[in-house]
Amino acid sequence: MSRLQLEEVRKSFINGDTEEEVLKGVNLTLREGEVTALIGASGSGKSTLLTIAAGLQRLSEGRVIFGDQNLPDLSSEQVRKIRAQHFGFVFQNSHLVPFLTVEEQLSMMMDIADMKGIKQYKQTKIKEILDQVGMSHRLTAYPSSLSGGEKQRVAVARAIIHEPKILFADEPTASLDSTRSRHTMELIQQLTKSFDMTTLTVTHDEEMLDYVDCIVKMSDGKIVNA
Amino acid sequence: MAWKEMKKNKAKFLIIGAIVFLISLLTFIISGLANGLSQDNVSLIKNMPEGTFYMSEDSDDSHTQSHIDPQKLNETMKEDENAFAFSLQMGALKTESDNQQSVAFLTSTETSLFTRVDSGEVILDSSLKDQGIKVGDQLSSPQFQGTFEVVDFIHNQRFNHSSVAFINQKDFNHMFRTEEFQIIYSPQINEEISGLKAFTKNEFLSTIPSYQAEQMTLNMIVWFLIVISGMLFSIFFYMMNVQKIGMYGILKALGMRTGDLFKMIWSQMGLLTCTSLIASALISQTFQVFAPDTMPYHLPIATTVQLSVVFFVVGFLGSTISGFQIKKIEPLKAIQQGEA
């Protein structure tokens, strides 16, 4: 079943006097329980496509359909709400908040997503997610004391604590070594299935494609092979 | 989150708090000293309630040249029972051990504002106690043939940076060879008296030689300090938040409301500023209690509160301006460049 649909998405940037089109009418459908990988050379438009799909930047033309809503038609506050409640993000660098413990990172995300609940519920939920990513033993650790792989696991936990419908992962393994990269992708794949999420990831690493259901290759702002 | 960040980065916030504390303490102390100097110059007049001061029309706005016609004085005092006349002249008093002190001799008609003094007696401002003068001492004056016996001390009565010496009218007239008073004071405001020139308290203060020039200089110093301190406050809070723009961008990408980020910025600013201001206000007020009498230091609570409000508002503006930078940041840019 389709969860996010991109129709004829175009994005142009003004560069000096010239207008540069980085997305040239992209059509893409993301389905429930599937991990879709965007691959392609640098500058092919894959990161731009991911951020447009995630409501992090406006498109020039086209439609991004989530549920029965077209994201470009919504106000920035409505898009923020969708991002907070229904989308999860894993970035290239984990981008954890440096002054929050692992537990607090997840608790903060629950607050952002307006998951009002009693403290005990929150704690149970956090423990449950951290168990799944294998980080429950580092509940009170600060990001500065975590390894790169551990940080990325916590970032994954933060991205899914509010049970988003779609997980956006922008090169989540770029800063990790091969073993940790595999573990992270394995984790994303497994969580996508178990939470019935939809995942859209950008990757340069072909080894990571073993963990995805659908590969979309981009070149010069267009999908060349899906 | 604001509190968690402060707890985690104790050293950073302690340093910022210490800077805010030191800047505000410096401003409080300098204001106290400026106020103190002003008090030292004219506390006698400043301590009097708001009212109207009258001098003769030919006085050229100088109390030393003013002379009130005794008939006019009688008429005025008959019409306004709270009015009284007084005269002030600079002079000197000498102790038996030849310690000479510059004083402002004051005499007045009967009033509840100034203590009545008999001929041959003097009441002095308490700062002269520090010069070893005590009740019962006999003091002489180059202008006076006899001696004055010190009968009492009175607190905070200074004029022209000298202690005020309250003496009897007869002695004053004898010393300065005059029969007329210089000034009439009435608690009534805006009452015109024909043949006399009326001054409000502030207008009268500005007729005192050196007072206006001194006040302008002191006010300039204090206001420069307030402006510079205010700017420093603003810049500190601005820099503190601008450094975290990347993190705020990430939080916006995750879906945090900009309003919640503003709350975080304001609560950190509020907590730091309030704690630092309370500490510096307490120290500057305590200093007032223990400062030696010879040090002109006077910091009223009202001034402390006014300065604190100025600092708080300026700190608030500084952090709000940085908040606008955060409002403008694109989450996408933060993801690409920012460090959370």
Side-chain angles (χ1 to χ4, degrees):
Chain A
M1 199 181 148
S2 154
R3 188 156 272 172
L4 189 81
Q5 218 168 327
L6 290 92
E7 296 173 0
E8 282 304 309
V9 170
R10 290 176 186 277
K11 177 72 183 176
S12 307
F13 292 104
I14 306 289
N15 191 0
D17 293 338
T18 54
E19 189 177 337
E20 205 177 310
E21 197 173 34
V22 286
L23 292 179
K24 300 169 178 171
V26 174
N27 291 292
L28 180 65
T29 300
L30 303 178
R31 291 188 179 79
E32 273 181 33
E34 276 188 8
V35 179
T36 302
L38 286 173
I39 59 166
S42 285
S44 59
K46 48 190 193 310
S47 282
T48 308
L49 184 65
L50 180 130
T51 51
I52 283 176
L56 287 170
Q57 66 171 318
R58 294 257 166 195
L59 41 68
S60 306
E61 268 179 59
R63 285 155 60 87
V64 179
I65 309 294
F66 173 70
D68 56 356
Q69 293 171 303
N70 180 23
L71 296 191
D73 293 342
L74 304 179
S75 67
S76 38
E77 173 56 19
Q78 286 170 316
V79 175
R80 181 204 66 77
K81 224 172 201 174
I82 288 176
R83 273 209 315 271
Q85 293 175 347
H86 303 298
F87 294 173
F89 294 92
V90 180
F91 307 110
Q92 190 173 333
N93 299 312
S94 57
H95 285 316
L96 297 176
V97 181
F99 53 83
L100 297 182
T101 63
V102 168
E103 185 183 18
E104 288 163 350
Q105 307 272 351
L106 272 58
S107 172
M108 173 199 74
M109 191 59 227
M110 291 173 91
D111 291 337
I112 291 174
D114 280 335
M115 289 176 79
K116 309 281 182 220
I118 51 170
K119 201 178 169 188
Q120 206 175 356
Y121 162 75
K122 265 181 148 181
Q123 281 174 338
T124 313
K125 180 81 187 162
I126 289 168
K127 180 85 177 48
E128 186 187 306
I129 295 290
L130 286 177
D131 273 339
Q132 298 215 27
V133 300
M135 287 297 293
S136 51
H137 62 295
R138 304 302 309 269
L139 208 62
T140 55
Y142 284 99
S144 55
S145 65
L146 301 176
S147 70
E150 284 179 323
K151 279 183 193 168
Q152 212 56 335
R153 281 174 173 271
V154 176
V156 171
R158 183 180 69 180
I160 59 163
I161 185 80
H162 56 302
E163 298 172 14
K165 291 194 165 63
I166 307 172
L167 176 66
F168 293 97
D170 189 5
E171 301 198 45
T173 59
S175 57
L176 303 177
D177 61 32
S178 169
T179 316
R180 285 185 175 130
S181 293
R182 287 188 163 278
H183 286 156
T184 304
M185 279 309 290
E186 212 173 82
L187 180 67
I188 288 174
Q189 185 195 38
Q190 174 215 322
L191 293 169
T192 304
K193 307 289 174 201
S194 59
F195 284 94
D196 204 18
M197 286 189 308
T198 298
T199 295
L200 179 63
T201 180
V202 167
T203 184
H204 272 113
D205 189 346
E206 287 194 4
E207 277 186 59
M208 301 306 125
L209 300 180
D210 294 347
Y211 304 95
V212 306
D213 304 294
C214 180
I215 300 166
V216 174
K217 187 169 184 182
M218 290 192 70
S219 173
D220 193 24
K222 286 182 280 194
I223 292 175
V224 289
N225 179 24
Chain B
M1 264 181 85
W3 177 239
K4 281 172 186 160
E5 185 185 6
M6 292 176 86
K7 252 175 36 183
K8 174 79 172 118
N9 299 318
K10 282 186 202 89
K12 179 179 148 190
F13 282 94
L14 268 175
I15 289 169
I16 297 170
I19 291 167
V20 173
F21 161 75
L22 289 171
I23 292 172
S24 52
L25 182 65
L26 175 73
T27 313
F28 288 157
I29 297 280
I30 298 287
S31 296
L33 289 170
N35 258 328
L37 272 174
S38 162
Q39 282 288 112
D40 192 55
N41 196 349
V42 289
S43 63
L44 172 84
I45 306 297
K46 281 198 164 181
N47 291 344
M48 290 169 76
E50 285 297 330
T52 310
F53 294 77
Y54 299 94
M55 291 196 274
S56 59
E57 274 186 333
D58 60 355
S59 64
D60 202 17
D61 290 358
S62 166
H63 72 90
T64 51
Q65 291 177 48
S66 174
H67 52 97
I68 310 282
D69 177 53
Q71 199 185 333
K72 179 66 79 188
L73 175 64
N74 283 338
E75 283 168 21
T76 309
M77 287 176 66
K78 233 178 241 174
E79 279 172 29
D80 181 356
E81 59 180 22
N82 293 316
F84 67 91
F86 67 98
S87 292
L88 275 161
Q89 284 288 0
M90 297 307 293
L93 283 173
K94 212 189 241 183
T95 61
E96 286 158 275
S97 55
D98 265 359
N99 176 9
Q100 186 162 308
Q101 296 294 327
S102 167
V103 293
F105 285 104
L106 182 143
T107 189
S108 71
T109 57
E110 197 80 23
T111 169
S112 57
L113 281 181
F114 302 140
T115 317
R116 199 186 120 79
V117 192
D118 290 331
S119 180
E121 291 178 351
V122 65
I123 295 176
L124 297 170
D125 173 63
S126 57
S127 61
L128 285 177
K129 274 188 198 171
D130 294 339
Q131 304 302 322
I133 299 172
K134 52 192 185 303
V135 172
D137 280 2
Q138 295 291 325
L139 305 177
S140 60
S141 169
Q143 293 106 322
F144 192 55
Q145 281 165 353
T147 56
F148 291 111
E149 185 191 351
V150 180
V151 290
D152 201 0
F153 287 97
I154 191 159
H155 191 61
N156 204 19
Q157 296 291 333
R158 309 265 300 168
F159 185 79
N160 208 8
H161 297 293
S162 300
S163 300
V164 171
F166 294 83
I167 55 173
N168 185 271
Q169 188 193 343
K170 201 177 103 192
D171 297 340
F172 188 95
N173 291 352
H174 175 69
M175 283 170 79
F176 299 105
R177 290 174 178 79
T178 177
E179 293 297 321
E180 293 168 326
F181 279 100
Q182 296 166 341
I183 307 152
I184 297 177
Y185 168 83
S186 164
Q188 310 285 338
I189 295 169
N190 288 333
E191 284 280 317
E192 289 293 326
I193 298 175
S194 66
L196 296 178
K197 205 167 173 186
F199 300 83
T200 62
K201 191 157 117 176
N202 278 337
E203 285 167 350
F204 179 70
L205 285 171
S206 63
T207 67
I208 298 167
S210 84
Y211 177 77
Q212 205 170 11
E214 186 181 276
Q215 279 310 291
M216 276 175 72
T217 312
L218 292 174
N219 285 339
M220 194 77 149
I221 293 169
V222 170
W223 279 107
F224 259 120
L225 195 60
I226 290 169
V227 170
I228 292 167
S229 311
M231 281 171 70
L232 280 175
F233 264 47
S234 271
I235 291 166
F236 271 119
F237 286 118
Y238 179 81
M239 293 306 292
M240 185 177 92
N241 290 315
V242 164
Q243 279 176 348
K244 295 187 286 186
I245 266 188
M247 182 192 80
Y248 291 131
I250 300 294
L251 293 173
K252 276 177 84 172
L254 294 177
M256 186 175 269
R257 285 182 194 87
T258 309
D260 289 337
L261 294 176
F262 267 95
K263 276 185 213 160
M264 184 174 163
I265 292 167
W266 284 331
S267 47
Q268 282 180 345
M269 183 283 302
L271 195 63
L272 270 182
T273 311
C274 286
T275 315
S276 307
L277 286 176
I278 288 170
S280 50
L282 281 176
I283 290 178
S284 53
Q285 288 297 321
T286 312
F287 181 68
Q288 182 156 261
V289 177
F290 295 104
D293 277 354
T294 46
M295 180 187 280
Y297 182 87
H298 180 68
L299 185 64
I301 302 269
T303 308
T304 313
V305 172
Q306 279 168 5
L307 287 173
S308 301
V309 169
V310 169
F311 285 142
F312 193 85
V313 169
V314 170
F316 178 80
L317 287 178
S319 51
T320 306
I321 291 167
S322 58
F324 287 130
Q325 298 279 334
I326 289 156
K327 198 178 171 192
K328 275 194 281 180
I329 192 175
E330 291 289 332
L332 183 63
K333 276 189 189 159
I335 295 164
Q336 287 162 349
Q337 307 163 1
E339 277 291 319

